[in-house]
Amino acid sequence: MIEFPISKAFQFIEPGPVVLVSTAHKGKANVMTLSWHMVVDFTPLIGCIIGPWDWSYNALMATKECVIAVPTVDLLEKVVDIGNCSGRDIDKFARFDLTPLPAKDVQAPLIAECLANIECRVVDTTLTDKYGLSILEGVRAWIDPDRKERRTCHANGDGTFVVDGETIDLKERMVKWQDTL
């Protein structure tokens, strides 16, 4: 073993997959790229880091709702480019040729090009001011069952990504968790 910079240790436990977060506020929809998130509970509760440095933050805090959209590997370059510009300056849905679809329970749009979309409401902002961490509760989920590409991407935190590969089915070994599968 050799010592590794602690400032880069997050690269080994980076959450995944990279997602898109859509918001809508005052008649304007926006989308941002997010890799700093984690599942907190089966509900699902999802912790995500969105702070004042993100243009989407104000919309999220004002409306207390968003959509987490799960893109696949064929969208990765677009997902990275979305994260490299601000909705303050451009309409990202138009610029990146994304199709907003109406959600059922929130005002933020679903993203048609993504494999899955989760409508969410903010349920806890206790750590938002200090860490940018908000807890979202998924209230409705959508999937495109006809989508051929299903591989998601995980950020390594250094500009490289890992693409999901082979699925290994060990459901029969998950005896303690059968009710959650």
Side-chain angles (χ1 to χ4, degrees), residues 137-171:
E137 180 176 26
V139 295
R140 188 172 302 272
W142 305 88
I143 190 163
D144 181 352
D146 298 325
R147 189 138 180 30
K148 302 267 187 282
E149 182 59 73
R150 301 178 80 77
R151 295 173 297 155
T152 59
C153 302
H154 303 261
N156 288 325
D158 63 357
T160 64
F161 298 82
V162 174
V163 177
D164 283 343
E166 177 185 359
T167 298
I168 300 170
D169 185 348
L170 297 176
K171 289 178 186 173

Side-chain angles (χ1 to χ4, degrees), residues 16-27:
V18 176
V19 298
L20 295 173
V21 177
S22 75
T23 54
H25 184 51
K26 295 183 179 178

Side-chain angles (χ1 to χ4, degrees), residues 8 29 39 45 47 60 65 67 78-79 86 94 99 102-103 107 115 126-127 130 135 142 145 152 154 162 166 175 180:
K8 294 183 179 188
V39 174
L45 291 179
L60 182 65
E65 59 185 35
V67 169
K78 191 178 287 195
V79 168
S86 175
T99 309
Q107 293 301 306
L115 172 63
T126 306
L127 297 174
K130 188 169 183 177
I135 305 298
W142 305 88
T152 59
H154 303 261
V162 174
E166 177 185 359
V175 294
T180 63

Side-chain angles (χ1 to χ4, degrees), residues 18 20 33 71-85 95-96 98 153 159 161 163:
V18 176
L20 295 173
T33 302
T72 49
V73 67
D74 54 321
L75 298 173
L76 185 57
E77 288 182 3
K78 191 178 287 195
V79 168
V80 171
D81 292 346
I82 288 167
N84 282 316
C85 60
R95 173 81 158 287
F96 297 103
L98 296 174
C153 302
F161 298 82
V163 177

Side-chain angles (χ1 to χ4, degrees), residues 23-35:
T23 54
H25 184 51
K26 295 183 179 178
K28 183 177 181 186
N30 188 41
V31 60
M32 67 172 281
T33 302
L34 180 70
S35 63

